[in-house]
Amino acid sequence: MLCANRQHDAVKVVAAHTVKQDGPFTCPECSKDVILKKCRLKVDHFAHRPPVTCQYGSKETEQHRACKTAIFDALAKCSNVTKLELERHLKEVRPDVSCYISGVPVAIEVQLSALSYEAILRRTEHYARKKIYVLWVAQWTPSLDTSERYSPRVWEKWCHAAYFGRVYYWTAGST
């Protein structure tokens, strides 16, 4: 997880912008203790202290954290972006990145693993009920660069239909 709460005042903090001396920290989901991991080879993040019973952030890959961080950092530089936040808790959903772009509420969901049609539809409906536009972003794979025919996953087909023939992909280092 990229965010945690400071234990003494419950203020949400981002791992990349926090130092260990600001702690101790707690999980925004279960309120148990988490550790700030400052890394050289990985994205700074928080991890639960063992034994781990909470699933929040447990299945995120390094690629997923890097993608969320890159999108967050890029949006932070845009003058028309306000209320930018990582992992904003919205009850039924928790977008990877959320903000207002020119006054319009937007949720960005980074999807690097397979997602069922039912899951993407359910989460998109939650955003629609909240009047939040959602952008699903997939991970660029080398197979997209080949001359071989690419076979999109079910949720990529759904995105293609929902976004009028477009699917948005993220690749490291892109802006």
Side-chain angles (χ1 to χ4, degrees), residues 1-63:
M1 74 189 83
L2 298 177
C3 298
N5 295 329
R6 283 193 310 237
Q7 195 172 57
H8 69 278
D9 60 7
V11 170
K12 185 177 179 180
V13 295
V14 177
H17 306 133
T18 305
V19 294
K20 291 185 180 191
Q21 291 77 13
D22 291 338
F25 306 100
T26 59
C27 172
E29 185 77 20
C30 70
S31 300
K32 292 188 179 174
D33 288 343
V34 293
I35 304 164
L36 175 61
K37 302 273 191 165
K38 290 292 197 175
C39 304
R40 289 186 184 165
L41 301 176
K42 294 182 178 182
V43 174
D44 294 345
H45 63 281
F46 293 95
H48 283 88
R49 291 185 185 274
V52 179
T53 56
C54 180
Q55 294 301 308
Y56 177 48
S58 66
K59 295 183 180 177
E60 282 189 347
T61 64
E62 183 59 25
Q63 270 186 317

Side-chain angles (χ1 to χ4, degrees), residues 65-80:
R65 286 193 295 258
C67 182
K68 289 193 313 187
T69 301
I71 291 169
F72 178 83
D73 291 345
L75 288 170
K77 296 174 186 171
C78 299
S79 61
N80 65 331

Side-chain angles (χ1 to χ4, degrees), residues 22-136:
D22 291 338
F25 306 100
T26 59
C27 172
E29 185 77 20
C30 70
S31 300
K32 292 188 179 174
D33 288 343
V34 293
I35 304 164
L36 175 61
K37 302 273 191 165
K38 290 292 197 175
C39 304
R40 289 186 184 165
L41 301 176
K42 294 182 178 182
V43 174
D44 294 345
H45 63 281
F46 293 95
H48 283 88
R49 291 185 185 274
V52 179
T53 56
C54 180
Q55 294 301 308
Y56 177 48
S58 66
K59 295 183 180 177
E60 282 189 347
T61 64
E62 183 59 25
Q63 270 186 317
H64 191 249
R65 286 193 295 258
C67 182
K68 289 193 313 187
T69 301
I71 291 169
F72 178 83
D73 291 345
L75 288 170
K77 296 174 186 171
C78 299
S79 61
N80 65 331
V81 173
T82 58
K83 299 182 183 179
L84 178 63
E85 194 171 323
L86 278 166
E87 302 170 347
R88 183 186 312 263
H89 182 71
L90 298 172
K91 295 185 182 171
E92 302 89 359
V93 288
R94 182 185 325 245
D96 292 316
V97 180
S98 62
C99 61
Y100 283 71
I101 301 175
S102 299
V104 177
V106 176
I108 300 171
E109 287 280 0
V110 176
Q111 194 58 45
L112 304 184
S113 59
L115 187 65
S116 71
Y117 175 81
E118 293 78 17
I120 194 170
L121 192 58
R122 183 182 70 251
R123 287 165 61 184
T124 301
E125 286 172 345
H126 284 302
Y127 288 119
R129 281 195 289 277
K130 295 176 184 302
K131 298 185 180 0
I132 299 171
Y133 290 87
V134 62
L135 175 62
W136 291 92

Side-chain angles (χ1 to χ4, degrees), residues 63 66-67 70-71 112 137-141 168-174:
Q63 270 186 317
C67 182
I71 291 169
L112 304 184
V137 178
Q139 170 68 40
W140 185 266
T141 63
Y168 296 92
Y169 292 93
W170 175 80
T171 184
S174 63

